[in-house]
Amino acid sequence: MKLLKLTIAGFGPFYESNVIDFAHDLKKHITIIHGENGSGKTTVLNAILWCLTGEVSPSMRNDLESSGKKLTAQNLAFKDIDGCMNKLEERMEVTVEFLFKKSVYVAKREGGGAGNLEGQFYLAIKNSNIQDPFTDPTGVMRRIFPYGVARYFMFDGEGFAKSATSGEGSFLSSVKNLLGFGFAEDSIQRLARIRKHLN
């Protein structure tokens, strides 16, 4: 899976439509996102994660919940602090274009102001200018980008170097997560609990 383009609107500090075209040329294939603390670098990662999975990072969830706010679309959306916008649309919209197995996919998630964080999800294969939508977009997306793997590569990997020295077994845990074994072990444990419940 290779990211091609990201469009963010109404998510965190990104009020109007903001577009990032990721470098994917064979010779120029690195995209650097640089900014001061609090400028929205982590929000970009959260926007991608939210679009593809309907979730946000544990740190964003913890920050909101520790401040006594319920995790809703309103709390993640831009706030018109200075009153410079005539009317704030309580809606988030993130679109991610990515390459997977030689096909270009378009994933789009919209969240409304009714506290529905999951929002509406749309996934299609882009053929020329025509988009062929899937009838089960969430199921298809989970096969392409499983949530356990998604969380590691989007966020847990940031602490990989620190975890090597943060305690016994933490480096091993990080390697397991990197290889996707943590996700597999979690699935096996869930299946064991289901079997026990059925018996």
Side-chain angles (χ1 to χ4, degrees):
M1 179 178 175
K2 185 181 292 185
L3 296 177
L4 303 176
K5 185 177 181 180
L6 170 67
T7 306
I8 309 174
F11 192 96
F14 303 102
Y15 178 73
E16 296 180 350
S17 183
N18 293 263
V19 179
I20 297 174
D21 286 305
F22 293 98
H24 54 273
D25 186 88
L26 289 176
K27 294 182 179 179
K28 298 178 180 179
H29 53 272
I30 296 175
T31 301
I32 297 175
I33 299 173
H34 173 73
E36 298 292 332
N37 289 343
S39 61
K41 300 184 298 296
T42 303
T43 302
V44 170
L45 293 179
N46 263 305
I48 296 170
L49 184 66
W50 178 71
C51 177
L52 300 181
T53 68
E55 292 286 340
V56 293
S57 71
S59 60
M60 178 176 265
R61 183 177 292 275
N62 290 339
D63 287 346
L64 286 168
E65 290 175 354
S66 65
S67 65
K69 295 180 180 178
K70 187 178 177 184
L71 191 63
T72 65
Q74 296 98 316
N75 290 333
L76 293 174
F78 178 89
K79 296 301 179 184
D80 185 16
I81 296 169
D82 298 325
C84 55
M85 304 295 173
N86 291 331
K87 182 180 178 183
L88 174 65
E89 291 185 16
E90 292 180 342
R91 181 182 57 86
M92 303 180 298
E93 184 178 304
V94 178
T95 304
V96 177
E97 288 187 26
F98 61 91
L99 182 66
F100 181 71
K101 292 187 177 179
K102 298 183 179 180
S103 294
V104 176
Y105 289 74
V106 179
K108 180 178 181 181
R109 190 176 297 273
E110 296 176 323
N116 179 14
L117 178 63
E118 187 176 343
Q120 297 293 319
F121 182 60
Y122 167 90
L123 181 68
I125 291 181
K126 190 176 181 181
N127 296 319
S128 300
N129 291 325
I130 302 170
Q131 295 181 7
D132 298 326
F134 290 98
T135 54
D136 179 22
T138 301
V140 173
M141 194 68 241
R142 283 180 181 163
R143 288 193 294 275
I144 295 172
F145 199 48
Y147 178 62
V149 176
R151 238 186 74 178
Y152 174 78
F153 281 104
M154 299 298 291
F155 290 96
D156 296 344
E158 287 184 343
F160 184 77
K162 291 179 186 176
S163 67
T165 57
S166 62
E168 186 179 350
S170 58
F171 182 75
L172 176 61
S173 175
S174 297
V175 171
K176 284 166 55 178
N177 286 334
L178 174 63
L179 298 175
F181 293 136
F183 179 69
E185 285 180 353
D186 183 55
S187 299
I188 291 169
Q189 289 172 1
R190 289 181 186 207
L191 286 171
R193 286 196 296 269
I194 291 171
R195 180 179 293 174
K196 184 178 180 181
H197 176 75
L198 291 175
N199 289 338

